[in-house]
Amino acid sequence: MLQGFLNGKYLFYCKLWGWHDIQNHGGNMDWSIYLHLIVAVPAAVVLLALGTKVMPSLSAPSKRRTGWELLLLGGITLLGLFIIYSAFYMERLSFAYAIGDVGSDTIEQYVPFYCGLIGSAREGTLTFFNYWTFDFELGVNAATFQQWMYDPFNLIVISLGLLLGEAHLSLVLVITQSIKVVLSIFLFDHFLTRYCDTPIARVLGALLYGFSGFMILGAQHYWLGSVFPIFTFAMLMFELYLEKRDIARFLGVVIACTVLLAWSPYLSFMVLMFAAVYLLLRIPHALEKPTAASYFAMIAKLAAPVFIGVLIAGISLVPYANFLLGETVRTASETSLGQRVVEKATSFVPLDWIPAILSRLIGSGLINTGAATFTDTVSSVPDIGFEGSFPYEFILMGYSVGVLALLSQFYHWAFTELKRGAKIIIGIATALAALYCFHQLLPTVLTFMVRLQYRSCFVLSLPFCCAMALGFEKRVLPGSIAWKPLIGTGALTAAILVWSLVETITGRLVCLYYIAALIVGVVLLFLLFKLDRQDGRASHRALVVTMLVALLVSTSVIDGFFTTNSRHTVPRADFPLSGVDDRDADTLAALAYLEEHDDTFYRVDKTYSDWSPLNDSLIQHFPSVSAYNSSADGDVDRFYRQLWKEAVSTWAVYSQGFKNAPDSPEILQLLDVKYILSKDPLDFAWCTLETQIGSVYVYRNVLAGSFATARQHIISESEADALETAAERRALLASSIIVPDDVADELEGTLGGAPTVPARESTFYEVSNGHLEGTIAIEADSVLCLPIPATGTWHISVDGAEVETFTANYGFIGFALPQGTHEITATYELAGFKTGAIMSGAGVVLAGIGCAVIALNCKRGHEEQA
């Protein structure tokens, strides 16, 4: 009865206020998901009491991290994680977002990938170099999802996944996310010892850093969150090496750069660009006697380990650069680089973005907790192109309700007490941060000038959180508050919160909490002022300071709670391989049947989904046509656009599926889709029922008899492009193969002119990932098309001799084949792999030389001192 009453009251107030902040399960609120917040209260009281008791110690200057500092930092971190992720730890909710939520990439792309990754590790088939799989899209190499595969935190995902099993993948992912938060907080606390003298200021800065908007909301796209702790580690290593050049610190920079570049050139570019600017501004302060010579000498010393890191990472960096620049549609743009630079250099953000950016500076969920689009509040920009995921692509900061107030205190201290040189450096840094937020050039530069996106906004966390920690330490903690800046920024904060409350889409509860926190914060500051004026008891002052810190941190944690929990999460039963039911048992049995009765290489597709709308093949391990891929090969993209555009459902080859255009016999024959699995009878002339296994009908495509398509007739791409429709171009496939114009000119006269199909028999087998072998008997000289994406370097051998290949049918491997019976071998080699391996070897040698030089210099230094 009570539950029903509460649910009824909840729905009433939701309708009255338009609240959608808390997850609604079929119209009934599952209040038990949030009961852990009650448990968090006594834990928070204990930490508050501990902080009050040890505040004198935490307020005393110490350049080294103290035991109480680490203990309090750890306790608050664990409590914050418990509040945000408890429902996921208990597996009441799945750490993935359902179709309809803007975070659905997690279930559409990433979860299937991790299922496949752990499954491959369990089966012993997991490889990282020269990697190829036909289980994703039409076949992809490692570079296609390098950022997912080479993520250093996959060591945790794979280890825990093997230990707990794929049924608990959601738990594995949320534990991994929690580890990233912990590492970010403790690494940044160490970093802050270079700036802050008091432990409590470092505790505050580190917590606001670790629970910031990028880490909690943006990191829900799992691989993207991995950059945050690695970025923090890299910046710490640079700081340590700047202070002292020894072997350990030298290797720290080398390792940080190697890990970044080997994992993701895309993200490492953002990190290293920021690091370069940061160090150029930081070096003058770090030098004892700054001169032009010493300045450039220090730059050279810092550049050396970065360069070595670049070399060591070459084994994955070179192949990925080749893929990114030469193959993927991800970097495609209709305008030239120069045009984009000019356009962005003169472009500020739209005016209606300004209050939204300020709102996101305070909290990531004030306008939108992530479950809907921003289009009702912020105008979309065509260059972004991701209207549905705009809460992710828009700038992510969320540094607490006190961010503007603490920044005002920092600037007051900096411009009243620091020397002129330091003021200039702070001014430059401030201008760059403002330009990043309100001008379009810098965020576009950090995405290789492809488009305006804010995925690099994690770099803002370091300067903002450093400044906030210093503002707290220099003005709030000693009671030297600058009241005019405080009142001004307090009023601005109130105005932004009111605007956010009026304009919010799904964040009304977050706004109300922030407004309440602002009011309480003003009261606490007034009490602190009164205690300092009246020389109040130290214990009272310690309590007020502790409560103020707790209040600031709580806003970030509550923001994180709603941006994580008030979403359309995947029900436990719908999470892949959850074990809740056996929904895919018949599918797996059908796939096993096909594997037992047909040992040739072929593709399978389905008219239904068990787990993922388009990526079941990654989970269930079968070659397919359907896929959701955000880094599709450019040639494959062109194939779909020109021949099978009905199968593509979004702006780029984000998703293409057999279900979108199932009755396409020409394409299914070309791609060798030999079997179709369906839950309903099919009535296509080109397929016959093979068998039925449980609820699954297994159909055979009678047209798909060979993995290779052979034709005596060719047609140039320009001729095919001249046709008006994809259907007209598809009709060509019945008797011709489409080839580039230069290939058509070269082969003209060497093939039969009539558009005939030569009789042939062929059988292909997959020997291993990236290695196919087959036999083909053909009655006339022909051109063959293997439906393998022309990605990287595929070597085709005919009767043991390698032959020249070209692009066929817009996106696949083609080659000429003479009449007769031939043995065909197709072997994949990652483009640039050998060059990258040589670079890596050279980098290791240089790292050894660098260590030897540093050791020699240290020895000479000791001898001179002696």
Side-chain angles (χ1 to χ4, degrees):
M1 183 179 296
L2 177 61
Q3 177 74 33
F5 173 77
L6 290 174
N7 287 337
K9 296 290 286 184
Y10 166 75
L11 292 174
F12 170 76
Y13 285 114
C14 278
K15 292 176 182 177
L16 179 64
W17 286 84
W19 286 350
H20 304 287
D21 304 72
I22 302 179
Q23 192 161 356
N24 190 332
H25 299 275
N28 292 312
M29 183 62 194
D30 185 2
W31 290 93
S32 63
I33 291 176
Y34 306 97
L35 290 177
H36 71 282
L37 297 178
I38 299 174
V39 179
V41 172
V45 171
V46 171
L47 287 171
L48 190 65
L50 176 63
T52 302
K53 182 177 181 179
V54 301
M55 185 54 65
S57 172
L58 294 174
S59 302
S62 173
K63 292 302 291 182
R64 289 181 175 273
R65 291 175 294 168
T66 66
W68 285 120
E69 173 184 355
L70 296 176
L71 180 62
L72 188 64
L73 191 64
I76 299 174
T77 299
L78 293 178
L79 177 60
L81 292 173
F82 174 77
I83 291 172
I84 295 171
Y85 297 120
S86 181
F88 301 93
Y89 293 146
M90 295 184 292
E91 298 187 88
R92 296 293 305 276
L93 296 178
S94 297
F95 195 50
Y97 295 103
I99 309 302
D101 189 283
V102 295
S104 61
D105 271 7
T106 52
I107 195 63
E108 291 179 316
Q109 289 194 101
Y110 308 134
V111 167
F113 166 76
Y114 289 120
C115 285
L117 188 71
I118 296 169
S120 298
R122 191 181 304 282
E123 296 167 5
T125 59
L126 181 62
T127 58
F128 289 98
F129 296 108
N130 267 345
Y131 175 88
W132 182 270
T133 179
F134 283 106
D135 292 349
F136 188 45
E137 205 179 44
L138 298 175
V140 297
N141 58 18
T144 301
F145 40 55
Q146 176 168 329
Q147 295 175 118
W148 312 354
M149 174 167 282
Y150 293 169
D151 180 354
F153 287 90
N154 280 347
L155 295 173
I156 298 172
V157 172
I158 293 173
S159 300
L160 288 178
L162 292 175
L163 178 65
L164 300 176
E166 289 91 329
H168 298 286
L169 177 58
S170 172
L171 178 60
V172 169
L173 292 172
V174 76
I175 290 174
T176 306
Q177 164 70 0
S178 302
I179 291 172
K180 295 174 189 177
V181 173
V182 171
L183 287 175
S184 300
I185 288 173
F186 278 86
L187 287 169
F188 191 66
D189 179 64
H190 191 9
F191 180 88
L192 280 177
T193 58
R194 275 81 204 153
Y195 289 93
C196 296
D197 295 326
T198 54
I200 189 59
R202 296 195 291 265
V203 168
L204 175 62
L207 290 169
L208 296 182
Y209 182 85
F211 289 113
S212 62
F214 181 91
M215 190 60 222
I216 302 299
L217 179 56
Q220 290 169 2
H221 281 55
Y222 317 114
W223 66 270
L224 192 58
S226 297
V227 72
F228 205 64
I230 299 174
F231 162 68
T232 314
F233 173 74
M235 297 309 299
L236 176 60
M237 291 301 103
F238 279 122
E239 275 286 348
L240 292 171
Y241 189 61
L242 191 61
E243 294 172 359
K244 182 181 178 181
R245 266 72 63 199
D246 59 23
I247 292 176
R249 299 177 186 220
F250 170 80
L251 290 178
V253 176
V254 170
I255 291 170
C257 294
T258 300
V259 169
L260 270 168
L261 288 156
W263 164 41
S264 173
Y266 174 69
L267 294 174
S268 63
F269 177 76
M270 303 173 187
V271 173
L272 294 178
M273 282 288 288
F274 173 84
V277 174
Y278 173 85
L279 291 170
L280 289 174
L281 296 175
R282 181 81 168 116
I283 289 172
H285 181 75
L287 294 172
E288 293 183 6
K289 296 180 180 180
T291 62
S294 63
Y295 183 81
F296 287 108
M298 182 60 72
I299 290 175
K301 291 176 182 177
L302 287 166
V306 175
F307 175 71
I308 291 172
V310 171
L311 289 178
I312 297 177
I315 197 168
S316 67
L317 178 61
V318 174
Y320 185 75
N322 177 78
F323 170 77
L324 189 68
L325 299 176
E327 296 178 15
T328 178
V329 299
R330 195 66 169 168
T331 56
S333 178
E334 296 180 359
T335 58
S336 68
L337 178 61
Q339 289 174 313
R340 279 174 273 156
V341 170
V342 171
E343 177 192 350
K344 296 306 178 187
T346 57
S347 299
F348 286 88
V349 301
L351 289 177
D352 65 344
W353 284 32
I354 294 175
I357 290 170
L358 293 174
S359 177
R360 295 279 270 196
L361 174 66
I362 297 172
S364 292
L366 295 172
I367 304 173
N368 184 353
T369 56
T373 68
F374 268 9
T375 50
D376 293 337
T377 304
V378 180
S379 64
S380 61
V381 174
D383 202 18
I384 289 181
F386 298 112
E387 292 184 12
S389 58
F390 206 46
Y392 284 115
E393 300 298 343
F394 199 55
I395 192 167
L396 277 167
M397 294 177 284
Y399 301 128
S400 90
V401 72
V403 55
L404 293 174
L406 291 175
L407 288 177
S408 74
Q409 300 306 296
F410 164 75
Y411 283 112
H412 184 273
W413 164 76
F415 287 101
T416 57
E417 298 187 21
L418 294 183
K419 295 180 180 179
R420 182 172 178 270
K423 293 177 185 178
I424 293 173
I425 290 173
I426 292 172
I428 294 172
T430 302
L432 290 172
L435 284 172
Y436 186 98
C437 294
F438 302 110
H439 193 270
Q440 296 186 20
L441 180 61
L442 286 181
T444 310
V445 165
L446 292 177
T447 57
F448 292 105
M449 289 302 302
V450 176
R451 59 177 61 89
L452 173 64
Q453 286 180 324
Y454 289 98
R455 290 188 175 183
S456 57
C457 65
F458 62 86
V459 301
L460 296 176
S461 301
L462 188 145
F464 273 111
C465 291
C466 278
M468 286 191 290
L470 281 167
F472 181 83
E473 177 181 275
K474 302 301 182 181
R475 287 292 179 259
V476 178
L477 189 60
S480 305
I481 297 173
W483 285 103
K484 289 182 179 180
L486 183 68
I487 293 170
T489 52
L492 178 58
T493 301
I496 294 168
L497 292 176
V498 170
W499 178 87
S500 300
L501 182 62
V502 172
E503 298 291 338
T504 191
I505 300 171
T506 59
R508 187 163 279 108
L509 289 178
V510 187
C511 291
L512 292 174
Y513 185 86
Y514 269 68
I515 290 172
L518 179 63
I519 295 170
V520 174
V522 170
V523 172
L524 290 174
L525 286 172
F526 178 74
L527 288 175
L528 190 62
F529 173 72
K530 292 279 288 183
L531 289 170
D532 289 335
R533 287 284 300 271
Q534 298 173 2
D535 196 20
R537 292 176 57 182
S539 59
H540 291 169
R541 193 180 195 283
L543 175 61
V544 172
V545 172
T546 305
M547 291 180 65
L548 188 58
V549 171
L551 182 74
L552 293 171
V553 174
S554 74
T555 56
S556 290
V557 172
I558 292 300
D559 188 28
F561 170 79
F562 281 106
T563 57
T564 303
N565 290 269
S566 63
R567 306 286 296 280
H568 306 297
T569 56
V570 177
R572 180 80 180 114
D574 293 340
F575 196 87
L577 309 179
S578 61
V580 174
D581 56 41
D582 58 352
R583 69 177 60 188
D584 66 345
D586 291 344
T587 299
L588 295 177
L591 292 171
Y593 169 86
L594 293 177
E595 186 175 351
E596 180 182 352
H597 288 81
D598 190 342
D599 61 351
T600 63
F601 184 75
Y602 51 82
R603 289 190 171 102
V604 182
D605 222 311
K606 305 191 301 181
T607 63
Y608 61 93
S609 301
D610 291 306
W611 303 111
S612 171
L614 290 166
N615 280 333
D616 268 356
S617 59
L618 271 173
I619 302 168
Q620 296 165 332
H621 299 285
F622 64 90
S624 175
V625 173
S626 302
Y628 182 89
N629 180 10
S630 59
S631 299
D633 173 66
D635 292 325
V636 173
D637 173 43
R638 194 171 180 218
F639 156 74
Y640 275 104
R641 298 294 176 185
Q642 295 297 90
L643 292 176
W644 203 21
K645 65 180 181 180
E646 297 86 352
V648 181
S649 58
T650 52
W651 67 276
V653 188
Y654 260 96
S655 57
Q656 64 273 349
F658 163 76
K659 288 182 289 186
N660 296 336
D663 192 9
S664 303
E666 311 96 329
I667 297 297
L668 300 180
Q669 180 182 10
L670 170 66
L671 300 179
D672 194 33
V673 180
K674 196 172 183 179
Y675 298 100
I676 306 295
L677 305 185
S678 176
K679 291 292 183 76
D680 300 301
L682 299 180
D683 189 24
F684 296 132
W686 46 266
C687 66
T688 60
L689 182 64
E690 180 87 2
T691 186
Q692 181 176 356
I693 298 178
S695 61
V696 175
Y697 295 91
V698 180
Y699 286 90
R700 175 164 183 163
N701 179 2
V702 297
L703 301 177
S706 169
F707 187 66
T709 298
R711 298 289 186 267
Q712 286 180 268
H713 186 258
I714 57 173
I715 187 169
S716 69
E717 288 183 354
S718 59
E719 292 178 89
D721 292 346
L723 299 176
E724 292 186 2
T725 67
E728 291 178 278
R729 284 185 284 273
R730 280 201 299 272
L732 298 175
L733 301 178
S735 57
S736 306
I737 285 180
I738 303 170
V739 299
D741 292 1
D742 59 334
V743 175
D745 293 339
E746 181 182 342
L747 294 178
E748 186 177 5
T750 64
L751 299 175
T756 57
V757 180
R760 90 284 190 204
E761 294 181 1
S762 66
T763 305
F764 278 81
Y765 302 89
E766 185 176 22
V767 178
S768 61
N769 287 337
H771 184 75
L772 298 175
E773 293 181 359
T775 302
I776 184 167
I778 194 165
E779 67 177 13
D781 294 350
S782 305
V783 168
L784 257 69
C785 173
L786 294 180
I788 301 172
T791 301
T793 305
W794 275 91
H795 298 281
I796 306 298
S797 295
V798 176
D799 301 326
E802 186 169 345
V803 297
E804 184 178 351
T805 62
F806 45 81
T807 302
N809 292 329
Y810 291 111
F812 304 110
I813 298 173
F815 58 97
L817 189 70
Q819 176 185 2
T821 300
H822 305 282
E823 299 292 330
I824 310 294
T825 301
T827 306
Y828 175 74
E829 180 182 346
L830 189 62
F833 179 77
K834 291 181 180 178
T835 302
I838 294 171
M839 281 179 57
S840 295
V844 171
V845 171
L846 284 178
I849 294 173
C851 290
V853 170
I854 292 172
L856 182 61
N857 289 338
C858 289
K859 182 178 179 182
R860 287 176 179 173
H862 289 313
E863 290 175 351
E864 290 175 0
Q865 291 178 0

